[in-house]
């Protein structure tokens, strides 16, 4: 078997599918990827050596990554937590395959979240099945967030047409069909989630698994748990000051506040190859929005897949 560190991808040998507009995906190791994403991912797999002190935020797209970037940055860099008031979370915490490797936009030193080599925070959309060799090569911590599949799908459906590159309209029917077949960058969603979920059961002290819904419903409780997991707990004693800091972080990262900072409302800058405006990462930030868009048939269709994939695996989530 070829060593992962020297592996290169022969795209002509990979299955290829149309995603939307002129956007194509290639299947590699059971997952679908855009070509530039996969090339950058290869670069990540070849060159990123996690430090034991690294925190890697992993997620399937549209499940709350931006929010958790803001929270993790604030928890770990508590004294400079106000940085999130003036910097987009993606500009504080870089995504490995989009900002640090491949056609990168910056170096580790150029992002506040990775500049401190003893407490770097990095994000990735790479599935565990692809990334496990890298993250298991050291003792780094992984935080994974997932979200209700129907809300994730509806969020994606709104998101992709905001690209400055591929502006084509996208029918909801097509979005549902592609999601159901797992055809999306880093899809299938279900395999992505299950990969990290299973690993979190195996290594709970190294892989923290949380749902968007848990975080949304009881943000303070889970931010506290996260801080403990990350080795920088909020003082429990009579630590009123620490509790005030905790409240401050939860409040400053809330959808209402985060989506309204000038840096996050901007349409000038962009992230990723499809050039998403920085404002595109904030829409309505709630739970159950799929009910406003999906038909009963669509909901039943997705729920059936959720049952087959999640529930049959013992992960009772998503319906
Ligand atoms: P909606 O499209 O449902 O509003 P990601 O960051 O992984 O791309 O996910 C984007 C989704 O997270 C969007 O969902 C976005 O509005 C929501 N989001 C962004 N910031 C949030 C926050 N502070 N709290 C809750 N949800 C947030």
């Amino acid at each position: 078997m070829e060593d992962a560190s020297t592996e290169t991808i022969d795209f002509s040998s990979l299955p290829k599918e149309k995603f939307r507009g002129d956007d194509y995906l290639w299947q590699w190791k059971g997952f679908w990827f855009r070509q530039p994403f996969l090339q950058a991912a290869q670069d990540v797999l070849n060159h990123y050596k996690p430090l034991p002190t690294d925190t890697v935020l992993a997620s399937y797209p549209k499940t709350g990554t931006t929010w958790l970037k803001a929270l993790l940055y604030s928890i770990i860099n508590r004294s400079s937590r106000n940085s999130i008031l003036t910097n987009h979370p993606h500009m504080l915490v870089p995504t490995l395959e989009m900002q640090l490797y491949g056609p990168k936009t910056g170096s580790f030193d150029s992002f506040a979240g990775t500049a401190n080599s003893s407490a770097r925070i990095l994000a990735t959309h790479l599935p565990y099945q692809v990334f496990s060799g890298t993250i298991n090569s050291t003792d780094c911590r992984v935080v994974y967030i997932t979200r209700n599949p129907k809300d994730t799908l509806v969020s994606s459906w709104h998101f992709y047409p905001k690209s400055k590159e591929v502006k084509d309209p996208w029918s909801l029917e097509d979005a549902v069909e592609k999601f159901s077949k797992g055809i999306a960058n880093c899809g299938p969603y279900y395999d992505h989630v299950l990969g990290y979920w299973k690993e979190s059961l195996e290594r709970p002290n190294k892989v923290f698994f949380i749902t968007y819904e848990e975080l949304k419903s009881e943000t303070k409780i889970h931010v506290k748990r996260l801080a403990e997991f990350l080795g920088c707990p909020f003082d429990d004693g009579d630590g009123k000051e620490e509790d005030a800091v905790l409240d401050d972080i939860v409040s400053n990262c809330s959808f209402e506040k985060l989506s309204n900072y000038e840096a996050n409302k901007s349409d000038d800058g962009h992230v990723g190859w499809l050039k998403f405006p920085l404002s595109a990462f904030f829409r309505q930030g709630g739970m159950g929005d799929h009910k406003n868009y999906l038909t009963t048939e669509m909901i039943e269709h997705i729920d059936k897949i959720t049952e087959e994939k999640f529930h049959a695996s013992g992960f009772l989530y998503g319906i």
Side-chain angles (χ1 to χ4, degrees):
M1 203 180 122
E2 202 169 2
D3 179 63
S5 63
T6 60
E7 204 173 341
T8 52
I9 294 172
D10 171 16
F11 280 89
S12 66
S13 67
L14 300 183
K16 183 181 172 189
E17 277 278 347
K18 196 172 171 125
F19 179 43
R20 52 171 291 273
D22 288 333
D23 198 9
Y24 280 85
L25 301 172
W26 281 257
Q27 194 181 37
W28 187 68
K29 301 202 173 189
F31 289 85
W32 293 97
F33 301 97
R34 294 201 167 85
Q35 188 166 13
F37 184 101
L38 190 44
Q39 281 162 334
Q42 201 62 28
D43 206 19
V44 173
L45 298 177
N46 287 340
H47 300 293
Y48 169 55
K49 305 281 176 246
L51 299 173
T53 46
D54 281 359
T55 299
V56 179
L57 161 59
S59 63
Y60 181 85
K62 312 323 296 169
T63 56
T65 320
T66 313
W67 180 21
L68 203 44
K69 278 188 176 187
L71 283 171
L72 287 178
Y73 181 84
S74 309
I75 295 168
I76 292 173
N77 301 284
R78 218 159 285 179
S79 58
S80 53
R81 63 187 180 280
N82 282 348
S83 297
I84 66 149
L85 310 189
T86 48
N87 294 278
H88 194 286
H90 291 310
M91 298 307 161
L92 290 172
V93 175
T95 298
L96 281 162
E97 62 277 1
M98 284 192 271
Q99 291 164 284
L100 290 175
Y101 291 91
K104 59 187 177 183
T105 55
S107 61
F108 282 80
D109 286 345
S110 59
F111 295 95
T114 44
N116 173 4
S117 61
S118 65
R120 305 189 304 187
I121 317 162
L122 313 108
T124 186
H125 288 316
L126 282 175
Y128 180 76
Q129 293 84 333
V130 168
F131 201 37
S132 58
T134 301
I135 46 183
N136 293 345
S137 66
T138 66
D139 222 15
C140 68
R141 292 182 175 90
V142 177
V143 176
Y144 186 81
I145 184 161
T146 192
R147 187 179 192 186
N148 178 290
K150 290 162 288 187
D151 283 346
T152 302
L153 155 63
V154 165
S155 181
S156 310
W157 177 62
H158 280 100
F159 180 71
Y160 286 109
K162 291 180 186 164
S163 156
K164 292 181 180 178
E165 287 280 298
V166 185
K167 284 187 171 294
D168 311 20
W170 196 21
S171 79
L172 187 56
E173 288 72 19
D174 191 38
V176 170
E177 195 198 328
K178 294 281 160 47
F179 184 86
S180 307
K181 291 181 174 164
I183 300 171
N185 196 40
C186 297
Y189 156 91
Y190 293 97
D191 296 346
H192 200 291
V193 176
L194 286 174
Y196 284 98
W197 176 69
K198 286 180 184 159
E199 190 59 13
S200 75
L201 299 181
E202 295 279 316
R203 297 192 302 134
N205 56 337
K206 287 295 166 189
V207 183
F208 186 100
F209 185 97
I210 188 155
T211 68
Y212 180 98
E213 295 75 24
E214 287 170 325
L215 193 56
K216 184 89 187 168
S217 308
E218 294 182 306
T219 312
K220 187 170 173 180
I221 289 176
H222 294 295
V223 168
K224 216 171 163 183
R225 284 183 56 229
L226 258 172
E228 279 157 21
F229 169 80
L230 295 167
C232 48
F234 290 93
D235 187 12
D236 241 340
D238 68 345
K240 283 190 186 145
E241 223 173 281
E242 284 282 273
D243 202 51
V245 173
L246 174 58
D247 284 337
D248 203 35
I249 290 174
V250 170
S251 162
N252 286 342
C253 296
S254 67
F255 181 80
E256 293 64 32
K257 285 204 178 174
L258 201 61
S259 59
N260 274 305
Y261 300 135
E262 281 310 315
N264 299 341
K265 289 201 287 190
S266 164
D267 282 342
D268 297 339
H270 61 254
V271 184
W273 299 283
L274 294 183
K275 297 192 175 151
F276 292 105
L278 295 174
S279 60
F281 295 86
F282 305 92
R283 190 179 59 91
Q284 58 91 43
M287 296 185 282
D289 189 41
H290 67 269
K291 294 183 193 123
N292 298 318
Y293 296 94
L294 302 181
T295 63
T296 310
E297 289 72 33
M298 288 171 171
I299 290 177
E300 283 173 5
H301 177 59
I302 308 258
D303 283 352
K304 190 164 171 289
I305 302 172
T306 304
E307 237 176 88
E308 287 164 9
K309 301 280 185 181
F310 279 174
H311 294 213
S313 303
F315 181 42
L316 303 179
Y317 174 72
I319 294 188

